[in-house]
Amino acid sequence: MYQIAIMGFGTIGSGVYDIVAANADILKQKSGQEIGIRRILDLREFPGHPAEQLLTHSFEDILNDPEISLVVETMGGVEPAFTFEKQLLLAGRHVVTSNKELVEKKGAELFEAARAGGAHFYYEASVGGGIPIIRNLSDCIVADRIDEISGILNGTTNYILTQMTSGGVSYEEALVSALALGYAEKDPTADVEGLDAGRKIAILASMVLGEAVHLEDVTTEGITGLTSTDFSYARELNMSIKLVADARFEDGGVRAIVAPAMVPVSNALYEVSDVLNAVTVHGDMVDTLMFYGRGAGSHATASAVLADVVCAARGVSPACHGGWSGVHARILDPLEAVHANFIRVSGSIDGVYELIRIFGGGSPVSAKKKEEFGFVTPVMSEAEFREKTAQLDGFIKRIRVK
Ligand code: HSE
């Protein structure tokens, strides 16, 4: 019997419990031994829950139990998760986490603690919910120079944007239902302001470079500034609006951004709806790969947690997932990012044609607002775009075009 403990019995931790109960036979077949949950750490009580007898409020009950080989951390946040995980790894216990904030901020220290303790640190569930993107990046796409990773990495915002696109649902209503479905973070600001997706793209970039990329290195813009008029323009242009995370790798460094983007119908991300996430990885040999699936939610994310548990129980490791050093990666200038932009401007149609001439191309579209038009600029650098818009009368907003 391979004994594990769970720290944090919320959405994901309880999903881990459910899967161990429902799919015990599959887990045994895949890992070669039975997986047993020996302890669950949580501050709360769960009276009447079948797992009630396993509950403890004391971390020491887990740390000091020699029967526990691996600990799943699904508490979220940096502390006390970091202190607990570090102690466990140094004591030779394997750790599996879904905690992207912790992996992004403290990943290098935890890999180091794992090495020092002769244990393994696994984090498949920290990016893309149920999508096995971490394992693919660390163990499969290993013969390529990766030059771009791009995609939809937050289920909550994709769910909200899909609801708003379909019409009839306000931002507030969609957010309430994302919370009820267990998609959003405890503080959904991290979702809607692009921080959660920023952490995830930082983790993927750290894996590619072998050096630490942090949230602060990622340019982030959330979805709170989007309005129904923006969605009307998107419909006119046959595009959808998505929160897109992009990391471009050049000269040993990375330029990463999370921001709303107009996605043309020809782009595969156009169809990625609801809580689904999709990640594309471009390598110089393999070309483009795409990974797609449920990016949030209890059982999808817990499925990724258990994939790591099985990996550890098989004893295959050593570095299912690898890691990165604490050296800060080279961060490239965001002003050198190159892309097209959708812009909204107020004024007459003649004025808009004049702007289109200044930007070097585009066709005006109207969302039936008085004296307001939009158009898509040619591809240009962010620096050039800012220079042109600085002198622009009537500029309302821009949304990058993917
Ligand atoms: N709040 C996150 C999301 C959960 O919506 O994607 C999964 O990391």
Side-chain angles (χ1 to χ4, degrees), residues 266-289:
S266 56
N267 187 309
L269 296 181
Y270 178 91
E271 290 290 356
V272 178
S273 299
D274 294 313
V275 73
L276 293 160
N277 282 192
V279 196
T280 59
V281 179
H282 187 269
D284 61 348
M285 299 295 152
V286 71
D287 205 355
T288 302
L289 299 163

mmCIF file with all atom_site columns, all heavy atoms in Angstrom, residues 266-289:
data_model
loop_
_atom_site.group_PDB
_atom_site.id
_atom_site.type_symbol
_atom_site.label_atom_id
_atom_site.label_alt_id
_atom_site.label_comp_id
_atom_site.label_asym_id
_atom_site.label_entity_id
_atom_site.label_seq_id
_atom_site.pdbx_PDB_ins_code
_atom_site.Cartn_x
_atom_site.Cartn_y
_atom_site.Cartn_z
_atom_site.occupancy
_atom_site.B_iso_or_equiv
_atom_site.pdbx_formal_charge
_atom_site.auth_seq_id
_atom_site.auth_comp_id
_atom_site.auth_asym_id
_atom_site.auth_atom_id
_atom_site.pdbx_PDB_model_num
ATOM 1   N N   . SER A 1 266 ? -9.958  31.698 -37.716 1.00 0.00 ? 266 SER A N   1
ATOM 2   C CA  . SER A 1 266 ? -8.978  30.760 -38.285 1.00 0.00 ? 266 SER A CA  1
ATOM 3   C C   . SER A 1 266 ? -8.006  30.222 -37.241 1.00 0.00 ? 266 SER A C   1
ATOM 4   O O   . SER A 1 266 ? -7.283  29.258 -37.494 1.00 0.00 ? 266 SER A O   1
ATOM 5   C CB  . SER A 1 266 ? -8.179  31.465 -39.385 1.00 0.00 ? 266 SER A CB  1
ATOM 6   O OG  . SER A 1 266 ? -7.588  32.638 -38.841 1.00 0.00 ? 266 SER A OG  1
ATOM 7   N N   . ASN A 1 267 ? -7.971  30.848 -36.044 1.00 0.00 ? 267 ASN A N   1
ATOM 8   C CA  . ASN A 1 267 ? -7.044  30.410 -34.993 1.00 0.00 ? 267 ASN A CA  1
ATOM 9   C C   . ASN A 1 267 ? -7.727  29.343 -34.127 1.00 0.00 ? 267 ASN A C   1
ATOM 10  O O   . ASN A 1 267 ? -8.887  29.503 -33.733 1.00 0.00 ? 267 ASN A O   1
ATOM 11  C CB  . ASN A 1 267 ? -6.676  31.634 -34.142 1.00 0.00 ? 267 ASN A CB  1
ATOM 12  C CG  . ASN A 1 267 ? -5.592  31.341 -33.114 1.00 0.00 ? 267 ASN A CG  1
ATOM 13  O OD1 . ASN A 1 267 ? -5.689  30.378 -32.355 1.00 0.00 ? 267 ASN A OD1 1
ATOM 14  N ND2 . ASN A 1 267 ? -4.577  32.176 -33.104 1.00 0.00 ? 267 ASN A ND2 1
ATOM 15  N N   . ALA A 1 268 ? -7.025  28.261 -33.806 1.00 0.00 ? 268 ALA A N   1
ATOM 16  C CA  . ALA A 1 268 ? -7.628  27.153 -33.043 1.00 0.00 ? 268 ALA A CA  1
ATOM 17  C C   . ALA A 1 268 ? -8.150  27.612 -31.676 1.00 0.00 ? 268 ALA A C   1
ATOM 18  O O   . ALA A 1 268 ? -9.065  26.988 -31.125 1.00 0.00 ? 268 ALA A O   1
ATOM 19  C CB  . ALA A 1 268 ? -6.625  26.029 -32.874 1.00 0.00 ? 268 ALA A CB  1
ATOM 20  N N   . LEU A 1 269 ? -7.610  28.691 -31.129 1.00 0.00 ? 269 LEU A N   1
ATOM 21  C CA  . LEU A 1 269 ? -8.069  29.150 -29.805 1.00 0.00 ? 269 LEU A CA  1
ATOM 22  C C   . LEU A 1 269 ? -9.488  29.728 -29.869 1.00 0.00 ? 269 LEU A C   1
ATOM 23  O O   . LEU A 1 269 ? -10.162 29.857 -28.846 1.00 0.00 ? 269 LEU A O   1
ATOM 24  C CB  . LEU A 1 269 ? -7.122  30.214 -29.233 1.00 0.00 ? 269 LEU A CB  1
ATOM 25  C CG  . LEU A 1 269 ? -5.691  29.759 -28.928 1.00 0.00 ? 269 LEU A CG  1
ATOM 26  C CD1 . LEU A 1 269 ? -4.889  30.922 -28.341 1.00 0.00 ? 269 LEU A CD1 1
ATOM 27  C CD2 . LEU A 1 269 ? -5.663  28.571 -27.972 1.00 0.00 ? 269 LEU A CD2 1
ATOM 28  N N   . TYR A 1 270 ? -9.937  30.098 -31.088 1.00 0.00 ? 270 TYR A N   1
ATOM 29  C CA  . TYR A 1 270 ? -11.268 30.692 -31.261 1.00 0.00 ? 270 TYR A CA  1
ATOM 30  C C   . TYR A 1 270 ? -12.351 29.815 -30.650 1.00 0.00 ? 270 TYR A C   1
ATOM 31  O O   . TYR A 1 270 ? -13.297 30.284 -30.038 1.00 0.00 ? 270 TYR A O   1
ATOM 32  C CB  . TYR A 1 270 ? -11.528 30.907 -32.755 1.00 0.00 ? 270 TYR A CB  1
ATOM 33  C CG  . TYR A 1 270 ? -12.890 31.464 -33.085 1.00 0.00 ? 270 TYR A CG  1
ATOM 34  C CD1 . TYR A 1 270 ? -13.094 32.836 -33.187 1.00 0.00 ? 270 TYR A CD1 1
ATOM 35  C CD2 . TYR A 1 270 ? -13.985 30.616 -33.299 1.00 0.00 ? 270 TYR A CD2 1
ATOM 36  C CE1 . TYR A 1 270 ? -14.344 33.350 -33.496 1.00 0.00 ? 270 TYR A CE1 1
ATOM 37  C CE2 . TYR A 1 270 ? -15.234 31.125 -33.598 1.00 0.00 ? 270 TYR A CE2 1
ATOM 38  C CZ  . TYR A 1 270 ? -15.412 32.489 -33.708 1.00 0.00 ? 270 TYR A CZ  1
ATOM 39  O OH  . TYR A 1 270 ? -16.644 32.994 -33.997 1.00 0.00 ? 270 TYR A OH  1
ATOM 40  N N   . GLU A 1 271 ? -12.204 28.498 -30.835 1.00 0.00 ? 271 GLU A N   1
ATOM 41  C CA  . GLU A 1 271 ? -13.250 27.542 -30.421 1.00 0.00 ? 271 GLU A CA  1
ATOM 42  C C   . GLU A 1 271 ? -13.099 27.077 -28.975 1.00 0.00 ? 271 GLU A C   1
ATOM 43  O O   . GLU A 1 271 ? -13.891 26.282 -28.503 1.00 0.00 ? 271 GLU A O   1
ATOM 44  C CB  . GLU A 1 271 ? -13.198 26.305 -31.325 1.00 0.00 ? 271 GLU A CB  1
ATOM 45  C CG  . GLU A 1 271 ? -13.636 26.527 -32.752 1.00 0.00 ? 271 GLU A CG  1
ATOM 46  C CD  . GLU A 1 271 ? -15.141 26.777 -32.890 1.00 0.00 ? 271 GLU A CD  1
ATOM 47  O OE1 . GLU A 1 271 ? -15.854 26.704 -31.871 1.00 0.00 ? 271 GLU A OE1 1
ATOM 48  O OE2 . GLU A 1 271 ? -15.575 27.067 -34.017 1.00 0.00 ? 271 GLU A OE2 1
ATOM 49  N N   . VAL A 1 272 ? -12.059 27.505 -28.283 1.00 0.00 ? 272 VAL A N   1
ATOM 50  C CA  . VAL A 1 272 ? -11.813 27.000 -26.919 1.00 0.00 ? 272 VAL A CA  1
ATOM 51  C C   . VAL A 1 272 ? -12.738 27.762 -25.968 1.00 0.00 ? 272 VAL A C   1
ATOM 52  O O   . VAL A 1 272 ? -12.553 28.946 -25.725 1.00 0.00 ? 272 VAL A O   1
ATOM 53  C CB  . VAL A 1 272 ? -10.329 27.168 -26.540 1.00 0.00 ? 272 VAL A CB  1
ATOM 54  C CG1 . VAL A 1 272 ? -10.082 26.686 -25.114 1.00 0.00 ? 272 VAL A CG1 1
ATOM 55  C CG2 . VAL A 1 272 ? -9.450  26.414 -27.530 1.00 0.00 ? 272 VAL A CG2 1
ATOM 56  N N   . SER A 1 273 ? -13.753 27.065 -25.470 1.00 0.00 ? 273 SER A N   1
ATOM 57  C CA  . SER A 1 273 ? -14.824 27.748 -24.746 1.00 0.00 ? 273 SER A CA  1
ATOM 58  C C   . SER A 1 273 ? -14.942 27.246 -23.313 1.00 0.00 ? 273 SER A C   1
ATOM 59  O O   . SER A 1 273 ? -14.320 26.256 -22.924 1.00 0.00 ? 273 SER A O   1
ATOM 60  C CB  . SER A 1 273 ? -16.157 27.510 -25.441 1.00 0.00 ? 273 SER A CB  1
ATOM 61  O OG  . SER A 1 273 ? -16.103 28.015 -26.740 1.00 0.00 ? 273 SER A OG  1
ATOM 62  N N   . ASP A 1 274 ? -15.795 27.937 -22.571 1.00 0.00 ? 274 ASP A N   1
ATOM 63  C CA  . ASP A 1 274 ? -16.118 27.570 -21.176 1.00 0.00 ? 274 ASP A CA  1
ATOM 64  C C   . ASP A 1 274 ? -14.837 27.420 -20.345 1.00 0.00 ? 274 ASP A C   1
ATOM 65  O O   . ASP A 1 274 ? -13.941 28.209 -20.488 1.00 0.00 ? 274 ASP A O   1
ATOM 66  C CB  . ASP A 1 274 ? -16.985 26.312 -21.156 1.00 0.00 ? 274 ASP A CB  1
ATOM 67  C CG  . ASP A 1 274 ? -18.348 26.610 -21.786 1.00 0.00 ? 274 ASP A CG  1
ATOM 68  O OD1 . ASP A 1 274 ? -18.938 27.649 -21.427 1.00 0.00 ? 274 ASP A OD1 1
ATOM 69  O OD2 . ASP A 1 274 ? -18.800 25.852 -22.638 1.00 0.00 ? 274 ASP A OD2 1
ATOM 70  N N   . VAL A 1 275 ? -14.789 26.343 -19.550 1.00 0.00 ? 275 VAL A N   1
ATOM 71  C CA  . VAL A 1 275 ? -13.653 26.206 -18.625 1.00 0.00 ? 275 VAL A CA  1
ATOM 72  C C   . VAL A 1 275 ? -12.439 25.586 -19.321 1.00 0.00 ? 275 VAL A C   1
ATOM 73  O O   . VAL A 1 275 ? -11.381 25.421 -18.724 1.00 0.00 ? 275 VAL A O   1
ATOM 74  C CB  . VAL A 1 275 ? -14.088 25.370 -17.395 1.00 0.00 ? 275 VAL A CB  1
ATOM 75  C CG1 . VAL A 1 275 ? -14.245 23.904 -17.776 1.00 0.00 ? 275 VAL A CG1 1
ATOM 76  C CG2 . VAL A 1 275 ? -13.129 25.529 -16.228 1.00 0.00 ? 275 VAL A CG2 1
ATOM 77  N N   . LEU A 1 276 ? -12.583 25.268 -20.603 1.00 0.00 ? 276 LEU A N   1
ATOM 78  C CA  . LEU A 1 276 ? -11.476 24.604 -21.304 1.00 0.00 ? 276 LEU A CA  1
ATOM 79  C C   . LEU A 1 276 ? -10.267 25.526 -21.456 1.00 0.00 ? 276 LEU A C   1
ATOM 80  O O   . LEU A 1 276 ? -10.413 26.735 -21.596 1.00 0.00 ? 276 LEU A O   1
ATOM 81  C CB  . LEU A 1 276 ? -11.958 24.108 -22.660 1.00 0.00 ? 276 LEU A CB  1
ATOM 82  C CG  . LEU A 1 276 ? -12.979 22.975 -22.514 1.00 0.00 ? 276 LEU A CG  1
ATOM 83  C CD1 . LEU A 1 276 ? -13.798 22.804 -23.766 1.00 0.00 ? 276 LEU A CD1 1
ATOM 84  C CD2 . LEU A 1 276 ? -12.294 21.681 -22.140 1.00 0.00 ? 276 LEU A CD2 1
ATOM 85  N N   . ASN A 1 277 ? -9.108  24.923 -21.391 1.00 0.00 ? 277 ASN A N   1
ATOM 86  C CA  . ASN A 1 277 ? -7.834  25.608 -21.648 1.00 0.00 ? 277 ASN A CA  1
ATOM 87  C C   . ASN A 1 277 ? -7.209  24.963 -22.879 1.00 0.00 ? 277 ASN A C   1
ATOM 88  O O   . ASN A 1 277 ? -7.548  23.819 -23.219 1.00 0.00 ? 277 ASN A O   1
ATOM 89  C CB  . ASN A 1 277 ? -6.849  25.418 -20.483 1.00 0.00 ? 277 ASN A CB  1
ATOM 90  C CG  . ASN A 1 277 ? -7.132  26.313 -19.277 1.00 0.00 ? 277 ASN A CG  1
ATOM 91  O OD1 . ASN A 1 277 ? -6.302  26.414 -18.379 1.00 0.00 ? 277 ASN A OD1 1
ATOM 92  N ND2 . ASN A 1 277 ? -8.290  26.945 -19.228 1.00 0.00 ? 277 ASN A ND2 1
ATOM 93  N N   . ALA A 1 278 ? -6.313  25.670 -23.527 1.00 0.00 ? 278 ALA A N   1
ATOM 94  C CA  . ALA A 1 278 ? -5.549  25.080 -24.628 1.00 0.00 ? 278 ALA A CA  1
ATOM 95  C C   . ALA A 1 278 ? -4.172  25.717 -24.632 1.00 0.00 ? 278 ALA A C   1
ATOM 96  O O   . ALA A 1 278 ? -4.037  26.932 -24.415 1.00 0.00 ? 278 ALA A O   1
ATOM 97  C CB  . ALA A 1 278 ? -6.241  25.329 -25.964 1.00 0.00 ? 278 ALA A CB  1
ATOM 98  N N   . VAL A 1 279 ? -3.167  24.914 -24.840 1.00 0.00 ? 279 VAL A N   1
ATOM 99  C CA  . VAL A 1 279 ? -1.794  25.426 -24.867 1.00 0.00 ? 279 VAL A CA  1
ATOM 100 C C   . VAL A 1 279 ? -1.130  24.937 -26.146 1.00 0.00 ? 279 VAL A C   1
ATOM 101 O O   . VAL A 1 279 ? -1.160  23.737 -26.439 1.00 0.00 ? 279 VAL A O   1
ATOM 102 C CB  . VAL A 1 279 ? -0.943  24.875 -23.687 1.00 0.00 ? 279 VAL A CB  1
ATOM 103 C CG1 . VAL A 1 279 ? 0.327   25.704 -23.518 1.00 0.00 ? 279 VAL A CG1 1
ATOM 104 C CG2 . VAL A 1 279 ? -1.736  24.806 -22.404 1.00 0.00 ? 279 VAL A CG2 1
ATOM 105 N N   . THR A 1 280 ? -0.531  25.847 -26.899 1.00 0.00 ? 280 THR A N   1
ATOM 106 C CA  . THR A 1 280 ? 0.271   25.420 -28.046 1.00 0.00 ? 280 THR A CA  1
ATOM 107 C C   . THR A 1 280 ? 1.740   25.630 -27.704 1.00 0.00 ? 280 THR A C   1
ATOM 108 O O   . THR A 1 280 ? 2.114   26.613 -27.059 1.00 0.00 ? 280 THR A O   1
ATOM 109 C CB  . THR A 1 280 ? -0.067  26.189 -29.338 1.00 0.00 ? 280 THR A CB  1
ATOM 110 O OG1 . THR A 1 280 ? 0.161   27.571 -29.121 1.00 0.00 ? 280 THR A OG1 1
ATOM 111 C CG2 . THR A 1 280 ? -1.490  25.980 -29.767 1.00 0.00 ? 280 THR A CG2 1
ATOM 112 N N   . VAL A 1 281 ? 2.542   24.680 -28.140 1.00 0.00 ? 281 VAL A N   1
ATOM 113 C CA  . VAL A 1 281 ? 3.992   24.758 -27.948 1.00 0.00 ? 281 VAL A CA  1
ATOM 114 C C   . VAL A 1 281 ? 4.599   24.648 -29.335 1.00 0.00 ? 281 VAL A C   1
ATOM 115 O O   . VAL A 1 281 ? 4.263   23.725 -30.083 1.00 0.00 ? 281 VAL A O   1
ATOM 116 C CB  . VAL A 1 281 ? 4.492   23.584 -27.068 1.00 0.00 ? 281 VAL A CB  1
ATOM 117 C CG1 . VAL A 1 281 ? 6.009   23.658 -26.902 1.00 0.00 ? 281 VAL A CG1 1
ATOM 118 C CG2 . VAL A 1 281 ? 3.794   23.585 -25.707 1.00 0.00 ? 281 VAL A CG2 1
ATOM 119 N N   . HIS A 1 282 ? 5.479   25.600 -29.683 1.00 0.00 ? 282 HIS A N   1
ATOM 120 C CA  . HIS A 1 282 ? 6.143   25.514 -30.982 1.00 0.00 ? 282 HIS A CA  1
ATOM 121 C C   . HIS A 1 282 ? 7.622   25.204 -30.781 1.00 0.00 ? 282 HIS A C   1
ATOM 122 O O   . HIS A 1 282 ? 8.339   25.935 -30.099 1.00 0.00 ? 282 HIS A O   1
ATOM 123 C CB  . HIS A 1 282 ? 5.997   26.815 -31.775 1.00 0.00 ? 282 HIS A CB  1
ATOM 124 C CG  . HIS A 1 282 ? 6.527   26.682 -33.164 1.00 0.00 ? 282 HIS A CG  1
ATOM 125 N ND1 . HIS A 1 282 ? 7.836   26.974 -33.497 1.00 0.00 ? 282 HIS A ND1 1
ATOM 126 C CD2 . HIS A 1 282 ? 5.948   26.213 -34.290 1.00 0.00 ? 282 HIS A CD2 1
ATOM 127 C CE1 . HIS A 1 282 ? 8.022   26.702 -34.788 1.00 0.00 ? 282 HIS A CE1 1
ATOM 128 N NE2 . HIS A 1 282 ? 6.887   26.249 -35.287 1.00 0.00 ? 282 HIS A NE2 1
ATOM 129 N N   . GLY A 1 283 ? 8.047   24.083 -31.361 1.00 0.00 ? 283 GLY A N   1
ATOM 130 C CA  . GLY A 1 283 ? 9.457   23.709 -31.296 1.00 0.00 ? 283 GLY A CA  1
ATOM 131 C C   . GLY A 1 283 ? 10.056  23.743 -32.681 1.00 0.00 ? 283 GLY A C   1
ATOM 132 O O   . GLY A 1 283 ? 9.334   23.607 -33.676 1.00 0.00 ? 283 GLY A O   1
ATOM 133 N N   . ASP A 1 284 ? 11.384  23.926 -32.764 1.00 0.00 ? 284 ASP A N   1
ATOM 134 C CA  . ASP A 1 284 ? 11.996  24.086 -34.088 1.00 0.00 ? 284 ASP A CA  1
ATOM 135 C C   . ASP A 1 284 ? 12.010  22.791 -34.888 1.00 0.00 ? 284 ASP A C   1
ATOM 136 O O   . ASP A 1 284 ? 12.151  22.821 -36.106 1.00 0.00 ? 284 ASP A O   1
ATOM 137 C CB  . ASP A 1 284 ? 13.411  24.689 -33.983 1.00 0.00 ? 284 ASP A CB  1
ATOM 138 C CG  . ASP A 1 284 ? 14.385  23.826 -33.197 1.00 0.00 ? 284 ASP A CG  1
ATOM 139 O OD1 . ASP A 1 284 ? 13.950  22.871 -32.521 1.00 0.00 ? 284 ASP A OD1 1
ATOM 140 O OD2 . ASP A 1 284 ? 15.587  24.125 -33.235 1.00 0.00 ? 284 ASP A OD2 1
ATOM 141 N N   . MET A 1 285 ? 11.824  21.652 -34.244 1.00 0.00 ? 285 MET A N   1
ATOM 142 C CA  . MET A 1 285 ? 11.819  20.376 -34.971 1.00 0.00 ? 285 MET A CA  1
ATOM 143 C C   . MET A 1 285 ? 10.411  19.791 -35.083 1.00 0.00 ? 285 MET A C   1
ATOM 144 O O   . MET A 1 285 ? 9.981   19.371 -36.140 1.00 0.00 ? 285 MET A O   1
ATOM 145 C CB  . MET A 1 285 ? 12.727  19.361 -34.252 1.00 0.00 ? 285 MET A CB  1
ATOM 146 C CG  . MET A 1 285 ? 14.163  19.803 -34.184 1.00 0.00 ? 285 MET A CG  1
ATOM 147 S SD  . MET A 1 285 ? 14.873  19.906 -35.833 1.00 0.00 ? 285 MET A SD  1
ATOM 148 C CE  . MET A 1 285 ? 16.108  21.164 -35.614 1.00 0.00 ? 285 MET A CE  1
ATOM 149 N N   . VAL A 1 286 ? 9.701   19.781 -33.983 1.00 0.00 ? 286 VAL A N   1
ATOM 150 C CA  . VAL A 1 286 ? 8.396   19.110 -33.956 1.00 0.00 ? 286 VAL A CA  1
ATOM 151 C C   . VAL A 1 286 ? 7.288   19.976 -34.570 1.00 0.00 ? 286 VAL A C   1
ATOM 152 O O   . VAL A 1 286 ? 6.231   19.485 -34.904 1.00 0.00 ? 286 VAL A O   1
ATOM 153 C CB  . VAL A 1 286 ? 8.060   18.684 -32.508 1.00 0.00 ? 286 VAL A CB  1
ATOM 154 C CG1 . VAL A 1 286 ? 7.728   19.891 -31.643 1.00 0.00 ? 286 VAL A CG1 1
ATOM 155 C CG2 . VAL A 1 286 ? 6.935   17.678 -32.454 1.00 0.00 ? 286 VAL A CG2 1
ATOM 156 N N   . ASP A 1 287 ? 7.558   21.288 -34.707 1.00 0.00 ? 287 ASP A N   1
ATOM 157 C CA  . ASP A 1 287 ? 6.571   22.267 -35.180 1.00 0.00 ? 287 ASP A CA  1
ATOM 158 C C   . ASP A 1 287 ? 5.552   22.551 -34.070 1.00 0.00 ? 287 ASP A C   1
ATOM 159 O O   . ASP A 1 287 ? 5.934   22.540 -32.905 1.00 0.00 ? 287 ASP A O   1
ATOM 160 C CB  . ASP A 1 287 ? 5.905   21.770 -36.465 1.00 0.00 ? 287 ASP A CB  1
ATOM 161 C CG  . ASP A 1 287 ? 5.373   22.916 -37.311 1.00 0.00 ? 287 ASP A CG  1
ATOM 162 O OD1 . ASP A 1 287 ? 5.440   24.067 -36.856 1.00 0.00 ? 287 ASP A OD1 1
ATOM 163 O OD2 . ASP A 1 287 ? 4.878   22.660 -38.411 1.00 0.00 ? 287 ASP A OD2 1
ATOM 164 N N   . THR A 1 288 ? 4.272   22.706 -34.391 1.00 0.00 ? 288 THR A N   1
ATOM 165 C CA  . THR A 1 288 ? 3.319   23.140 -33.359 1.00 0.00 ? 288 THR A CA  1
ATOM 166 C C   . THR A 1 288 ? 2.569   21.953 -32.764 1.00 0.00 ? 288 THR A C   1
ATOM 167 O O   . THR A 1 288 ? 2.040   21.118 -33.493 1.00 0.00 ? 288 THR A O   1
ATOM 168 C CB  . THR A 1 288 ? 2.304   24.133 -33.962 1.00 0.00 ? 288 THR A CB  1
ATOM 169 O OG1 . THR A 1 288 ? 3.023   25.238 -34.496 1.00 0.00 ? 288 THR A OG1 1
ATOM 170 C CG2 . THR A 1 288 ? 1.346   24.646 -32.902 1.00 0.00 ? 288 THR A CG2 1
ATOM 171 N N   . LEU A 1 289 ? 2.524   21.918 -31.436 1.00 0.00 ? 289 LEU A N   1
ATOM 172 C CA  . LEU A 1 289 ? 1.726   20.921 -30.713 1.00 0.00 ? 289 LEU A CA  1
ATOM 173 C C   . LEU A 1 289 ? 0.643   21.664 -29.968 1.00 0.00 ? 289 LEU A C   1
ATOM 174 O O   . LEU A 1 289 ? 0.852   22.799 -29.530 1.00 0.00 ? 289 LEU A O   1
ATOM 175 C CB  . LEU A 1 289 ? 2.596   20.175 -29.700 1.00 0.00 ? 289 LEU A CB  1
ATOM 176 C CG  . LEU A 1 289 ? 3.769   19.388 -30.269 1.00 0.00 ? 289 LEU A CG  1
ATOM 177 C CD1 . LEU A 1 289 ? 4.766   19.064 -29.165 1.00 0.00 ? 289 LEU A CD1 1
ATOM 178 C CD2 . LEU A 1 289 ? 3.258   18.105 -30.906 1.00 0.00 ? 289 LEU A CD2 1
#
